């Protein structure tokens, strides 16, 4: 096992897949000469050249629409949105075209496309540049939505995404590129659509993913010092959603907290809680609590921004609350 | 142009430069966060342009907005306070560097989605056309923004509906690390207006008086003909795209060559050569600006943080 950063994990996955399959190429803003706004594709331009690492104009519709087209005729583009916030400029392609093309034409078209995008708050970028709108994208059947929380998962899931014949939105978090973790040596993939228990415990189930995982693992450590053992289930994929490990854990603990960085209303947590109530109502010992972002556009001011984002302390408090 | 006004333009350009130099230091010191895009090198563009407007003309721009804010008459105090995220900033510390606006000065904001504010600028003109006034909307944007659909949709409707918009492309040669020729089908941005049958022009953006004259003429055209106009202003940013840009995409010699064309240096020499100002006058302006910027930083640092309740204000207007 080697210990690498999230950035290295994503970078390695891209390189391995580009080396494996000549149909894989990258296109996006500043992915080439600049080396990627978050330095994920640093060195790629020199290694693979302008044909396989395409710097695009600032034109999100041309990027995503173009990548859809290239995918439909047999290539395997990895389109990069500089941030998911700019994905709104290409919303029609992401939610209204890519996810529909296979179904609507009776399975004739394939769209083996990956859209990589970074999201998340905490960097004082202001309301239009700090969002975690994962739930919005997860709403649409036909689009796979993946959002890993560890380097191991990021690498394995991105490789699966590139090999998938469906459009996959791969969501990274702007404050997690330096997160380190063990990854297996050599070639491996991790299947899309499988949740995973990242920490075993008996008292409360925390259901989360991506940035929420980082926060939840910290909360788990703090709670452990007080004798509370939480089980952390990482969704890893938002669509298709794998509830099995969640329900299994909940049937053991009978109490749950759901943690996400996005807004609470109509969010990922809303979905998870409903499913637990629908499928495991008899096991419920306490109302389930959602920890999420305050219902405000994120402000620039650092103190206000942090007040709006979910914190480790909020998770600790929520776990204690469901144990009351 | 009157002597006093020329000297005032000089003052405005020096003010932008010093506010931003101080801002960059405060950013390095960790007192400013987020994205901050400096206007250094481009001061003559907004200074000449905004000097040519009537007070009733609206201005809207992208995230590289500190200079535009100052030119529109927003104080250095407020600019600095917003950069520091303080309650006394014009956006109450909620917007930051990229989101400066003051409607009382007809400055309708810095906007951070590339090209996103162009259809909104058309919308201002739709509103003004509907109201039956002859206000002009001055919409500023970068070269990179002309490659996104928003630009084309906005220009098309402006021409078709006879909207009073002065489109101003600040061609600083790059959109982040991508040079114009690597991203745009035509490198003369003004040519894009031709496709929409729109009158257009081009001017050297390192010379504030040339910018002023070109803007005056363009505004006159827009007002009298009720037609949009696209003005391309050629310029260069002396600093990185935003703070922390490694600048791997351009050579130091290229930057140096442009820096020899410093708009402030050019204007300084012009004012002296033409005997419009004495060296003492210009030195006094430097000293005055220095003082103003020190005071602005003091004001911003002494200003309160927004109250915690501010998190929940301004979500809805009702
Ligand atoms: C829709 C959208 N895509 C991408 C970005 C990221 N981005 C911010 S500034 C910028 C470059 C813009 O270049 P240009 O329009 O030439 O303006 P300049 O920065 O040179 O003033 C990019 C790609 C964004 N803010 N919005
Ligand atoms: Mg530019």
């Amino acid at each position: 096992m080697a210990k690498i950063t999230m950035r290295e994990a994503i970078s390695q996955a891209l390189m391995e897949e580009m080396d494996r399959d000549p149909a894989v190429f990258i296109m996006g803003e500043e992915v080439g000469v600049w080396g990627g706004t978050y330095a994920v594709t640093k060195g790629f331009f020199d290694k693979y050249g302008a044909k396989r690492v395409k710097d695009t104009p600032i034109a999100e519709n041309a990027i995503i629409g173009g990548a859809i087209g290239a995918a439909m005729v047999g290539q395997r583009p990895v389109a990069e949105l500089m941030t998911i916030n700019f994905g709104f400029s290409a919303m029609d392609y992401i939610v209204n075209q890519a996810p529909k093309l296979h179904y609507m034409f009776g399975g004739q078209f394939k769209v083996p496309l990956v859209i990589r995008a970074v999201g998340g708050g905490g960097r004082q970028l202001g309301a239009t540049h700090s969002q975690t709108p994962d739930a919005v994208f997860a709403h649409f059947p036909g689009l796979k939505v993946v959002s890993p929380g560890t380097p191991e998962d990021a690498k394995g899931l991105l490789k699966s995404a590139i090999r998938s014949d469906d459009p996959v939105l791969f969501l990274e978090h702007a404050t997690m590129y330096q997160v380190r973790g063990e990854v297996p040596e050599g070639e491996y993939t991790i299947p899309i659509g499988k949740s995973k228990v990242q920490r075993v415990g008996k008292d409360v189930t925390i259901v989360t993913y991506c940035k929420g995982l980082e926060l939840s693992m910290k909360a788990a450590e703090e709670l452990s010092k007080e004798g509370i053992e939480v089980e952390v289930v990482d969704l890893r994929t938002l669509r298709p959603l794998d509830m099995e490990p969640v329900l299994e854990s909940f049937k053991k603990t009978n109490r749950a907290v759901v943690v996400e960085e996005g807004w609470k209303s109509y969010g990922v947590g809303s979905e998870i809680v409903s499913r637990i109530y629908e499928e495991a109502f008899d096991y419920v010992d306490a109302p389930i609590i959602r920890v999420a972002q305050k219902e405000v556009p994120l402000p620039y001011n650092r103190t206000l921004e942090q007040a709006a984002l979910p914190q480790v302390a909020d998770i600790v408090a929520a776990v204690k609350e469901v144990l009351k | 142009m009157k002597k006093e006004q020329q000297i005032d333009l000089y003052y405005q350009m020096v003010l932008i430069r010093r506010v931003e130099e101080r801002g960059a230091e405060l950013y390095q010191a960790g007192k400013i966060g987020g994205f901050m895009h400096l206007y250094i090198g481009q001061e003559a563009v907004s200074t000449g342009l905004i000097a040519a407007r009537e007070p009733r003309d609206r201005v809207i721009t992208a995230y590289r907005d500190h200079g535009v804010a100052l030119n529109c008459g927003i104080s250095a105090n407020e600019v600095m306070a917003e950069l520091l995220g303080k309650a006394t900033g014009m956006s109450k510390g909620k917007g930051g560097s990229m989101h400066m606006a003051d409607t009382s000065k007809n400055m309708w904001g810095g906007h951070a989605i590339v090209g996103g504010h162009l259809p909104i600028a058309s919308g201002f003109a739709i509103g003004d056309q509907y109201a039956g006034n002859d206000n002009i909307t001055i919409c500023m944007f970068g070269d990179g923004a002309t490659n996104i659909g928003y630009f084309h949709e906005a220009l098309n409707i402006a021409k078709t509906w006879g909207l009073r918009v002065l489109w101003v492309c600040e061609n600083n040669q790059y959109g982040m690390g991508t040079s114009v020729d690597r991203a745009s089908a035509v490198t003369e941005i003004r040519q894009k207006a031709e496709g929409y049958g729109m009158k257009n022009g081009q001017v050297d953006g390192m010379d504030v008086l040339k910018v002023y004259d070109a803007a005056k003429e363009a505004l006159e055209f827009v007002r009298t003909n009720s037609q949009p106009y696209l003005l391309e202003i050629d310029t260069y940013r002396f600093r990185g795209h935003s703070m922390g840009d490694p600048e791997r995409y351009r050579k130091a010699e290229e930057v140096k060559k442009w820096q020899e064309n410093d708009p402030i240096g050019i204007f300084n020499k012009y004012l002296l050569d033409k005997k419009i100002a004495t060296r003492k006058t210009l030195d006094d302006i430097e000293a005055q600006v220095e003082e103003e910027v020190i005071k602005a930083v003091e004001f911003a640092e002494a200003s309160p943080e927004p109250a915690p309740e501010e998190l929940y204000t301004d979500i809805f207007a009702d």
Side-chain angles (χ1 to χ4, degrees):
Chain A
M1 293 284 246
K3 207 163 188 182
I4 63 171
T5 63
M6 194 74 120
R7 177 182 285 114
E8 287 162 339
I10 296 167
S11 186
Q12 283 180 11
L14 288 169
M15 252 190 207
E16 288 177 18
E17 292 305 297
M18 287 178 83
D19 290 341
R20 190 186 59 81
D21 183 353
V24 178
F25 68 89
I26 296 174
M27 62 192 278
E29 293 159 19
E30 308 300 336
V31 294
V33 174
W34 187 294
T37 324
Y38 290 86
V40 170
T41 53
K42 203 170 157 193
F44 278 51
F45 189 79
D46 291 339
K47 182 168 177 202
Y48 298 104
K51 182 185 172 196
R52 299 189 72 192
V53 186
K54 297 183 189 299
D55 276 326
T56 64
I58 307 165
E60 280 73 14
N61 281 303
I63 296 168
I64 306 301
I68 290 172
M72 287 171 74
V73 298
Q75 309 306 332
R76 305 192 85 86
V78 179
E80 180 176 318
L81 287 169
M82 190 175 280
T83 84
I84 190 62
N85 303 281
F86 311 147
F88 296 125
S89 294
M91 203 64 177
D92 186 63
Y93 286 110
I94 302 170
V95 306
N96 205 27
Q97 310 240 18
K100 314 291 199 277
L101 290 163
H102 187 65
Y103 186 87
M104 197 165 62
F105 292 90
Q108 293 181 75
F109 300 141
K110 280 184 191 155
V111 188
L113 159 72
V114 177
I115 303 170
R116 276 187 53 234
V118 55
R123 298 181 69 232
Q124 286 193 268
L125 302 183
T128 63
H129 278 50
S130 306
Q131 294 162 105
T132 315
D134 314 350
V136 171
F137 295 96
H139 190 60
F140 292 85
L143 183 66
K144 291 178 177 169
V145 180
V146 174
S147 189
T150 68
E152 178 181 359
D153 288 341
K155 184 172 175 184
L157 280 164
L158 182 53
K159 287 169 70 93
S160 293
I162 293 170
R163 296 179 194 189
S164 167
D165 277 342
D166 295 310
V168 181
L169 179 63
F170 190 87
L171 294 167
E172 300 160 22
H173 196 285
T175 65
M176 290 180 78
Y177 286 114
Q178 299 291 9
V179 168
R180 288 185 163 274
E182 307 258 321
V183 297
E185 302 284 354
E187 166 76 22
Y188 73 96
T189 60
I190 290 175
I192 292 172
K194 290 274 171 243
S195 303
K196 181 187 179 187
V197 175
Q198 298 278 17
R199 184 186 196 282
V200 178
K202 59 178 180 17
D203 299 321
V204 175
T205 300
I206 296 181
V207 187
T208 188
Y209 69 98
C210 197
K211 185 69 182 178
L213 178 68
E214 185 190 314
L215 301 175
S216 299
M217 293 303 262
K218 285 184 186 151
E221 259 170 58
E222 277 187 30
L223 287 159
S224 180
K225 286 182 201 138
E226 301 179 37
I228 301 168
E229 295 303 333
V230 299
E231 182 146 298
V232 180
V233 186
D234 179 4
L235 298 172
R236 305 196 292 188
T237 301
L238 301 180
R239 183 182 282 274
L241 181 62
D242 173 23
M243 283 299 289
E244 265 325 299
V246 175
L247 295 170
E248 207 172 292
S249 175
F250 186 76
K251 285 175 184 172
K252 184 169 74 175
T253 63
N254 312 108
R255 293 162 202 273
V257 169
V258 187
V259 181
E260 70 189 300
E261 191 185 275
W263 293 293
K264 186 183 286 184
S265 301
Y266 311 99
V268 173
S270 314
E271 180 62 30
I272 300 298
V273 174
S274 307
R275 298 257 195 144
I276 294 174
Y277 286 144
E278 280 168 1
E279 292 166 44
F281 189 71
D282 292 345
Y283 295 85
V284 177
D285 276 359
I288 301 168
I289 296 182
R290 289 173 290 165
V291 175
Q293 190 173 138
K294 305 284 190 305
E295 304 277 326
V296 301
L298 277 187
Y300 161 70
N301 176 276
R302 188 169 169 73
T303 314
L304 290 187
E305 185 186 29
Q306 287 302 321
L309 290 169
Q311 305 289 341
V312 172
D314 301 326
I315 303 172
V316 169
V319 167
K320 289 182 177 170
E321 183 65 30
V322 296
L323 277 170
K324 266 190 192 156
Chain B
M1 193 191 290
K2 286 214 185 85
K3 221 168 133 170
E4 293 73 37
Q5 198 187 354
Q6 294 194 44
I7 291 170
D8 182 54
L9 293 188
Y10 183 77
Y11 155 78
Q12 291 183 42
M13 286 164 65
V14 175
L15 180 64
I16 297 172
R17 179 76 52 102
R18 300 290 170 257
V19 163
E20 289 205 326
E21 285 170 348
R22 215 41 206 110
E25 286 169 27
L26 292 166
Y27 192 95
Q28 305 294 3
K31 294 192 175 170
I32 298 172
F35 288 149
M36 181 163 84
H37 309 80
L38 299 182
Y39 203 54
I40 292 176
Q42 300 180 215
E43 294 94 339
V45 177
S46 73
T47 303
L49 177 68
I50 288 158
R53 75 161 173 171
E54 298 294 327
R56 67 179 186 283
D57 296 334
R58 308 174 196 276
V59 178
I60 184 167
T61 188
Y63 43 82
R64 203 177 292 286
D65 61 352
H66 313 151
V68 182
L70 291 165
N71 292 135
C72 285
I74 298 178
S75 69
N77 280 7
E78 277 185 275
V79 169
M80 208 50 100
E82 190 60 35
L83 289 174
L84 268 69
K86 296 301 181 78
T88 50
M90 75 295 275
S91 302
K92 302 187 195 163
K94 289 167 153 181
S97 164
M98 305 195 286
H99 304 110
M100 300 194 171
D102 182 345
T103 51
S104 74
K105 310 250 163 31
N106 246 334
M107 160 48 165
W108 293 80
H111 297 265
I113 296 299
V114 168
H117 63 291
L118 275 71
I120 295 175
S122 290
F124 291 169
I126 293 169
D128 281 329
Q129 186 183 57
Y130 195 80
N133 63 46
D134 72 348
N135 299 345
I136 293 174
T137 295
I138 300 171
C139 177
M140 304 167 72
F141 49 89
D143 45 279
T146 69
N147 303 318
I148 198 163
Y150 300 125
F151 168 85
H152 298 274
E153 296 182 30
L155 258 68
N156 183 65
I157 199 169
K159 179 62 171 57
T160 308
W161 286 12
L163 301 176
R164 287 198 177 92
V165 184
L166 175 56
W167 303 106
V168 179
C169 177
E170 297 192 67
N171 184 348
N172 63 4
Q173 320 301 324
Y174 292 88
M176 288 190 72
T178 307
S179 54
V180 173
D181 62 306
R182 293 181 65 227
S184 178
V186 291
T187 51
E188 258 187 37
I189 302 297
R190 67 181 199 84
Q191 281 184 269
K192 295 187 183 183
E194 299 282 346
Y196 300 101
M198 191 183 297
K199 193 157 161 76
N200 57 83
Q202 190 170 11
V203 66
D204 169 12
M206 297 319 227
D207 184 327
V208 67
L209 294 181
K210 282 191 192 151
V211 172
Y212 175 84
D213 288 341
K216 266 278 177 223
E217 201 185 306
L219 287 164
E220 173 71 26
F221 173 87
V222 174
R223 207 163 336 254
T224 50
N225 295 287
S226 289
Q227 283 296 325
Y229 184 110
L230 185 138
L231 180 61
E232 174 179 359
I233 306 188
D234 294 315
T235 181
Y236 199 80
R237 62 170 158 70
F238 292 173
R239 303 294 183 93
H241 166 71
S242 61
M243 302 300 292
D245 167 3
E247 291 189 64
R248 274 192 285 264
Y249 50 84
R250 62 183 190 184
K251 296 207 162 57
E253 301 91 79
E254 178 188 305
V255 181
K256 218 173 129 223
K257 210 180 112 233
W258 277 91
Q259 280 174 338
E260 283 161 13
N261 259 328
D262 185 326
I264 296 180
I266 291 174
F267 199 39
N268 179 300
K269 185 167 180 305
Y270 173 89
L271 293 172
L272 294 174
D273 287 354
K274 297 276 175 194
K275 303 213 172 350
I276 296 161
T278 62
R279 191 166 294 282
K280 164 130 190 2
T281 312
L282 300 186
D283 288 349
D284 287 350
I285 287 175
E286 275 287 349
Q288 179 196 339
V289 166
E290 207 67 49
E291 184 70 22
E292 195 175 338
V293 174
I294 288 171
K295 288 232 168 78
V297 175
E298 282 172 4
F299 170 82
E301 302 228 60
S303 289
E305 290 270 317
E309 313 83 77
E310 277 296 332
L311 190 56
Y312 297 100
T313 65
D314 304 324
I315 295 170
F316 290 119
D318 285 342

